[in-house]
Amino acid sequence: MSYFKLFKTLLKTNLLKTLWFNFRMLSFREACRLPFFVYGKMTMRSTSGKIIFDTGEKLHPGMVKIGKNDYYVATSVQRSIWNIRGTMVIQGNTRFMMGSYVLVADGATLTIGGDEQIFGTNVRILCFDRITFGKNVRMAWDVQIMDSSFHYIELTEHNHEIPKLTRAVEIGANTWVGNRTTIAKGAQVAPWTVIASNSLVNKDFSSCEPYCLLAGAPAKIKASGMRRIFDEKQEKALDTQYGYHRTHL
């Protein structure tokens, strides 16, 4: 990216918050590369944790974008709220659309895979133990991912056992998550899974064959042989073939 183009791009961001976030969360050498671009309003509730880039390549400006506008979703929640007290590992380009809520608690680890991760508007990630996203995970708006049930439950018919609150969550590479889906503690999702809108994923589906469809609350395997098209050129060609116009709001 040329310096002129970088300057023009930075003018579209929340420049003060962009500079503050980079130099507050990263080493000086990393921060000088401005890997984080912050757009719009953002509240940072804690910066006591750490952010680690594990990309295998040099950092570049805008590798992670926070608060980007989503053309298709009108929302009243436009402020991004982050609370990084544990460890956040970033392995590649990532976009958090506006209204993201990211909490990484003390001692917790949130890992975001490489390629091109996209977290839609109002996505909430609440990590108290371990949440791992594989490469190229995409999700629509109002999705929530959490590895804790927050409140203890006593199992009165099982020797009054009280299970621990957290269980790790793992989302396989190239997974597509539909809007208003909840991914709860203990969820394990195989690569190349499609998760339908309004689903509740709270079980281990790691043995599911690639290209399966999960749907329902709680989610079940509904179909197989379904693959999300990620290639933008192919998507445009299909738009032309079917006469589909991607009109923005």
Side-chain angles (χ1 to χ4, degrees):
M1 182 182 295
S2 68
Y3 288 113
F4 178 71
K5 186 175 181 180
L6 174 59
F7 177 73
K8 286 182 64 177
T9 302
L10 283 172
L11 289 179
K12 298 177 183 178
T13 69
N14 182 334
L15 183 56
L16 291 178
K17 187 67 73 170
T18 292
L19 293 172
W20 179 87
F21 187 93
N22 281 280
F23 284 93
R24 182 67 184 86
M25 292 301 306
L26 305 175
S27 69
F28 182 79
R29 173 179 288 185
E30 291 175 325
C32 286
R33 296 185 180 274
L34 297 178
F36 285 96
F37 282 177
V38 178
Y39 297 80
K41 300 176 182 179
M42 182 182 187
T43 296
M44 195 71 186
R45 290 184 174 168
S46 176
T47 59
S48 63
K50 58 183 177 181
I51 296 177
I52 299 172
F53 280 94
D54 179 23
T55 64
E57 60 185 60
K58 289 185 177 180
L59 302 185
H60 60 78
M63 178 177 285
V64 181
K65 297 177 174 62
I66 303 172
K68 287 283 289 181
N69 180 47
D70 189 333
Y71 293 108
Y72 292 108
V73 183
T75 174
S76 59
V77 183
Q78 297 183 359
R79 182 182 298 274
S80 300
I81 301 175
W82 283 37
N83 189 344
I84 308 299
R85 302 177 65 90
T87 302
M88 185 176 188
V89 180
I90 298 175
Q91 298 176 331
N93 295 327
T94 306
R95 276 184 278 168
F96 290 91
M97 311 310 280
M98 60 185 180
S100 64
Y101 186 102
V102 178
L103 167 63
V104 186
D106 295 271
T109 301
L110 170 63
T111 301
I112 299 175
D115 287 349
E116 189 68 30
Q117 303 278 0
I118 299 179
F119 297 94
T121 296
N122 294 343
V123 162
R124 292 174 174 264
I125 302 174
L126 305 173
C127 180
F128 291 85
D129 179 13
R130 179 169 58 86
I131 297 178
T132 303
F133 295 97
K135 294 182 178 181
N136 196 41
V137 174
R138 309 286 180 93
M139 59 187 62
W141 59 92
D142 294 339
V143 173
Q144 55 183 2
I145 307 102
M146 59 195 75
D147 61 1
S148 174
S149 55
F150 301 101
H151 303 287
Y152 291 102
I153 298 294
E154 181 180 4
L155 304 180
T156 59
E157 296 181 359
H158 296 273
N159 296 320
H160 296 275
E161 177 187 354
I162 302 176
K164 64 182 293 188
L165 290 178
T166 63
R167 276 191 293 155
V169 170
E170 186 166 352
I171 310 300
N174 302 300
T175 292
W176 167 240
V177 184
N179 61 293
R180 297 189 175 90
T181 287
T182 294
I183 299 176
K185 75 173 189 178
Q188 304 286 312
V189 178
W192 289 105
T193 296
V194 175
I195 303 176
S197 300
N198 297 295
S199 295
L200 167 62
V201 184
N202 60 355
K203 297 178 182 178
D204 186 348
F205 292 99
S206 58
S207 61
C208 178
E209 294 293 328
Y211 315 129
C212 73
L213 170 67
L214 301 181
K220 297 180 180 179
I221 299 174
K222 296 291 187 179
S224 60
M226 301 183 68
R227 179 172 68 88
R228 158 74 195 266
I229 300 298
F230 289 111
D231 183 81
E232 292 185 359
K233 290 184 179 179
Q234 184 179 2
E235 191 173 58
K236 289 180 180 179
L238 289 167
D239 286 347
T240 300
Q241 176 182 337
Y242 290 111
Y244 180 75
H245 301 283
R246 296 181 180 274
T247 303
H248 294 159
L249 294 173

PDB file of all heavy atoms in Angstrom, residues 8 31 62 85 129 211:
ATOM      1  N   LYS A   8      -5.113   8.242   2.678  1.00  0.00           N
ATOM      2  CA  LYS A   8      -6.523   8.376   2.315  1.00  0.00           C
ATOM      3  C   LYS A   8      -7.379   7.374   3.086  1.00  0.00           C
ATOM      4  O   LYS A   8      -8.483   7.705   3.539  1.00  0.00           O
ATOM      5  CB  LYS A   8      -6.710   8.162   0.808  1.00  0.00           C
ATOM      6  CG  LYS A   8      -6.225   9.311  -0.053  1.00  0.00           C
ATOM      7  CD  LYS A   8      -6.496   9.045  -1.528  1.00  0.00           C
ATOM      8  CE  LYS A   8      -7.965   8.957  -1.820  1.00  0.00           C
ATOM      9  NZ  LYS A   8      -8.244   8.759  -3.269  1.00  0.00           N
ATOM     10  N   ALA A  31       3.132  -1.767  16.342  1.00  0.00           N
ATOM     11  CA  ALA A  31       2.175  -0.668  16.262  1.00  0.00           C
ATOM     12  C   ALA A  31       2.491   0.274  15.113  1.00  0.00           C
ATOM     13  O   ALA A  31       1.575   0.835  14.486  1.00  0.00           O
ATOM     14  CB  ALA A  31       2.147   0.093  17.574  1.00  0.00           C
ATOM     15  N   GLY A  62      -4.003  -2.180   8.397  1.00  0.00           N
ATOM     16  CA  GLY A  62      -5.388  -2.596   8.210  1.00  0.00           C
ATOM     17  C   GLY A  62      -5.589  -4.085   8.114  1.00  0.00           C
ATOM     18  O   GLY A  62      -6.616  -4.539   7.590  1.00  0.00           O
ATOM     19  N   ARG A  85      -8.491  -9.011  28.356  1.00  0.00           N
ATOM     20  CA  ARG A  85      -7.763  -9.260  29.598  1.00  0.00           C
ATOM     21  C   ARG A  85      -6.898 -10.530  29.499  1.00  0.00           C
ATOM     22  O   ARG A  85      -5.939 -10.690  30.243  1.00  0.00           O
ATOM     23  CB  ARG A  85      -8.739  -9.388  30.765  1.00  0.00           C
ATOM     24  CG  ARG A  85      -9.629  -8.161  30.964  1.00  0.00           C
ATOM     25  CD  ARG A  85     -10.623  -8.370  32.086  1.00  0.00           C
ATOM     26  NE  ARG A  85      -9.942  -8.521  33.358  1.00  0.00           N
ATOM     27  CZ  ARG A  85      -9.637  -7.513  34.174  1.00  0.00           C
ATOM     28  NH1 ARG A  85      -9.941  -6.264  33.841  1.00  0.00           N
ATOM     29  NH2 ARG A  85      -9.021  -7.745  35.318  1.00  0.00           N
ATOM     30  N   ASP A 129     -12.462 -19.291  28.474  1.00  0.00           N
ATOM     31  CA  ASP A 129     -11.513 -20.406  28.520  1.00  0.00           C
ATOM     32  C   ASP A 129     -10.750 -20.457  27.207  1.00  0.00           C
ATOM     33  O   ASP A 129      -9.640 -19.964  27.097  1.00  0.00           O
ATOM     34  CB  ASP A 129     -12.258 -21.708  28.790  1.00  0.00           C
ATOM     35  CG  ASP A 129     -11.339 -22.917  28.817  1.00  0.00           C
ATOM     36  OD1 ASP A 129     -10.113 -22.721  28.881  1.00  0.00           O
ATOM     37  OD2 ASP A 129     -11.844 -24.059  28.777  1.00  0.00           O
ATOM     38  N   TYR A 211     -18.997 -30.202   4.339  1.00  0.00           N
ATOM     39  CA  TYR A 211     -20.142 -29.723   3.571  1.00  0.00           C
ATOM     40  C   TYR A 211     -21.483 -30.147   4.155  1.00  0.00           C
ATOM     41  O   TYR A 211     -22.480 -30.297   3.446  1.00  0.00           O
ATOM     42  CB  TYR A 211     -20.072 -30.175   2.099  1.00  0.00           C
ATOM     43  CG  TYR A 211     -18.712 -29.996   1.479  1.00  0.00           C
ATOM     44  CD1 TYR A 211     -18.087 -31.036   0.805  1.00  0.00           C
ATOM     45  CD2 TYR A 211     -18.043 -28.769   1.583  1.00  0.00           C
ATOM     46  CE1 TYR A 211     -16.829 -30.862   0.249  1.00  0.00           C
ATOM     47  CE2 TYR A 211     -16.789 -28.597   1.018  1.00  0.00           C
ATOM     48  CZ  TYR A 211     -16.178 -29.643   0.358  1.00  0.00           C
ATOM     49  OH  TYR A 211     -14.939 -29.480  -0.185  1.00  0.00           O
TER      50      TYR A 211
END
